Amino acid sequence: MLRVAVVGSGPSGVYTAQSLVQQSLVPGVRVDVLDRLPCPYGLVRYGVAPDHEKIKSLQQNLRAVLEDERIGFIGNVEVGAGGVTPARLLELYHAVVYCVGAARDRRLGVPGEDLAGSFSATDFVSWYSAHPDAAGNGFGVGLGGRSAVVIGVGNVAVDVTRILARGADELRSTDVPHPALTALESSRIRTVHMVGRRGPGQAKFTTKELRELGGLPGARVRVEPADLALDPSFADPSGLPAVNRRNLEVVRAWAAQGADGADLTGLADGGGGLNGVEAARSIRLRFFLRPAEILGEDGRVAAVRFERTEPDGTGGVRGTGRYEEIEAQLVLRAVGYKGVPLPGLPFDEATGTVPNAAGRVLRDGAPAVGEYVAGWIKRGPTGVIGTNRPCAKETVTSLLSDAAELAGRTVAADPLGALCDLGLEPVAWPGWLSIERAEAALGRSLGRGPVKIPDWAGLRAAARDGGA
């Protein structure tokens, strides 16, 4: 028998487990998928926006894998500092595959970034997705202002912009946690600025995500002709990749409709406006602006100072020395991710990844017996959910080619029991099913469908009701 631990239950971890049981020629292979959280599915549960129900339905595919009798889920297990160390895991399993993602946001590196009201977009996503680490982050206070600035022009930036501009009534049918829904209902934000340092032809969002901004009831997309005029590809997009050309077509259509000067009067949803507030919301797409400073007043965000940029002729931009300020009481940065070191594993700070060769962890340049990586911690924060499949397959191919050597190692007969002996309180599959039942009951009590439990204590209490 070959016992393998997969650390991380998001798509990369689940695809790795699936690939292991499908490809393995070793009789009796057993895979335990470990997660720090008592809930599986990783970013599909805690990163996909609640109004993207089609993408969230991927949970059913991941669930089918985790219900395979050769695969077990063990949640509420911290790997690293304060939990089980990588060295100890190797004593419990023949091999360990780390699929821990890239959990750290890139910072802007500008003055004022730590003012109250300035957050990473990922923290905001975690809050409205009920990640237990985000409980009490204080976004309700940030929603009390008139204006928000989202810095970045990728899909995460589009997601948070859409949630800020979407009426809370439209989210009531989703699993968004009740405290977040209540805060969004009382939001006073009327203008959301999504700002990029380069032009629309270089933006990283996908066309489908971009178009959704134009379909929000009670909101209007506005663009600045002066921004568009700076982008050479806006006039002639023929040299761009197809997705960028499609993005420009969407922005061009908004510009042709006179969106920048559009009158928003009468756009409010009946009976006094969005969520009972009189004004409709405006989404303003801005380009060729680089954040220079977040300005504060009484310790809180008051505005963002941007430097106007221009194309430098090589695909990048350069500063012009001209500045403008955009009022904001809430600032969300969405400028990318970086991997986080896992104590006990080697780490390359420059790339934010664990050094590896085809998924084999490298220690001092040599493959470490029994240690592997897949997903973002292997390749960096690139690709989409489906990219994890070939990435996982490559790692599993490496692991299985080492199987004869790995199977000769002596490991624990009962890894779950050994984890309990370490003082941990693992949540196995029945505990997760109990959390699902508790979330369904919570939703019924609120007159909604299933509603996520947003805090550690609530999740652990629900899991104990189902047994570990």
Side-chain angles (χ1 to χ4, degrees), residues 140-233:
V141 175
L143 296 172
R146 297 180 299 273
S147 175
V149 167
V150 178
I151 299 173
V153 283
N155 279 346
V156 174
V158 174
D159 274 350
V160 298
T161 295
R162 189 181 66 255
I163 293 297
L164 286 170
R166 185 183 284 284
D169 282 345
E170 299 168 59
L171 296 173
R172 192 173 302 280
S173 62
T174 73
D175 62 1
V176 66
H178 204 62
L181 182 66
T182 300
L184 290 167
E185 281 179 326
S186 60
S187 171
R188 302 193 63 80
I189 288 176
R190 290 292 155 270
T191 305
V192 184
H193 306 263
M194 188 171 74
V195 187
R197 63 185 178 88
R198 297 196 292 176
Q202 292 76 48
K204 299 297 185 182
F205 39 63
T206 57
T207 310
K208 180 179 182 297
E209 293 263 352
L210 180 63
R211 283 181 175 141
E212 286 183 296
L213 295 180
L216 297 177
R220 177 68 63 89
V221 180
R222 310 173 74 187
V223 296
E224 293 282 351
D227 293 353
L228 306 182
L230 289 171
D231 192 341
S233 62

Side-chain angles (χ1 to χ4, degrees), residues 72-413:
F73 171 73
I74 305 177
N76 202 40
V77 172
E78 182 83 40
V79 176
V84 57
T85 65
R88 180 61 178 140
L89 270 185
L90 268 183
E91 295 173 355
L92 304 181
Y93 294 91
H94 293 108
V96 183
V97 187
Y98 294 92
C99 307
V100 292
R104 182 172 62 193
D105 284 87
R106 293 186 181 276
R107 291 177 60 83
L108 299 173
V110 301
E113 189 168 5
D114 294 318
L115 284 167
S118 171
F119 301 93
S120 76
T122 297
D123 285 344
F124 187 64
V125 171
S126 295
W127 172 72
Y128 66 61
S129 298
H131 195 295
D133 286 347
N137 265 355
F139 286 108
V141 175
L143 296 172
R146 297 180 299 273
S147 175
V149 167
V150 178
I151 299 173
V153 283
N155 279 346
V156 174
V158 174
D159 274 350
V160 298
T161 295
R162 189 181 66 255
I163 293 297
L164 286 170
R166 185 183 284 284
D169 282 345
E170 299 168 59
L171 296 173
R172 192 173 302 280
S173 62
T174 73
D175 62 1
V176 66
H178 204 62
L181 182 66
T182 300
L184 290 167
E185 281 179 326
S186 60
S187 171
R188 302 193 63 80
I189 288 176
R190 290 292 155 270
T191 305
V192 184
H193 306 263
M194 188 171 74
V195 187
R197 63 185 178 88
R198 297 196 292 176
Q202 292 76 48
K204 299 297 185 182
F205 39 63
T206 57
T207 310
K208 180 179 182 297
E209 293 263 352
L210 180 63
R211 283 181 175 141
E212 286 183 296
L213 295 180
L216 297 177
R220 177 68 63 89
V221 180
R222 310 173 74 187
V223 296
E224 293 282 351
D227 293 353
L228 306 182
L230 289 171
D231 192 341
S233 62
F234 191 74
D236 180 15
S238 59
L240 293 175
V243 64
N244 300 82
R245 291 199 303 271
R246 290 194 295 269
N247 289 341
L248 281 178
E249 289 172 4
V250 175
V251 176
R252 189 190 307 276
W254 285 334
Q257 292 169 5
D260 189 64
D263 180 7
L264 300 183
T265 304
L267 285 179
D269 56 349
L274 284 170
N275 307 321
V277 183
E278 61 183 9
R281 292 192 174 106
S282 172
I283 299 170
R284 304 197 66 173
L285 301 186
R286 300 299 312 274
F287 300 98
F288 292 108
L289 292 173
R290 179 165 57 198
E293 182 178 3
I294 298 177
L295 306 174
E297 185 176 302
D298 298 327
R300 292 195 57 82
V301 169
V304 184
R305 189 170 190 243
F306 290 94
E307 181 182 18
R308 170 66 78 181
T309 62
E310 62 183 10
D312 63 6
T314 64
V317 294
R318 57 177 171 245
T320 64
R322 302 191 304 275
Y323 296 84
E324 70 173 86
E325 294 178 9
I326 297 178
E327 176 195 357
Q329 292 77 42
L330 175 66
V331 174
L332 301 175
R333 67 176 186 273
V335 292
Y337 303 98
K338 195 172 184 180
V340 177
L342 188 65
L345 284 183
F347 189 74
D348 185 338
E349 282 285 355
T351 62
T353 62
V354 170
N356 71 92
R360 293 183 177 92
V361 172
L362 300 178
R363 291 183 180 270
D364 299 322
V369 176
E371 294 182 310
Y372 304 84
V373 286
W376 279 3
I377 201 65
K378 169 188 174 183
R379 67 181 190 271
T382 61
V384 295
I385 290 175
T387 310
N388 291 297
R389 283 192 180 276
C391 176
K393 185 176 181 179
E394 179 189 56
T395 295
V396 168
T397 299
S398 295
L399 189 158
L400 293 178
S401 69
D402 302 336
E405 178 183 5
L406 298 173
R409 299 178 56 245
T410 300
V411 298

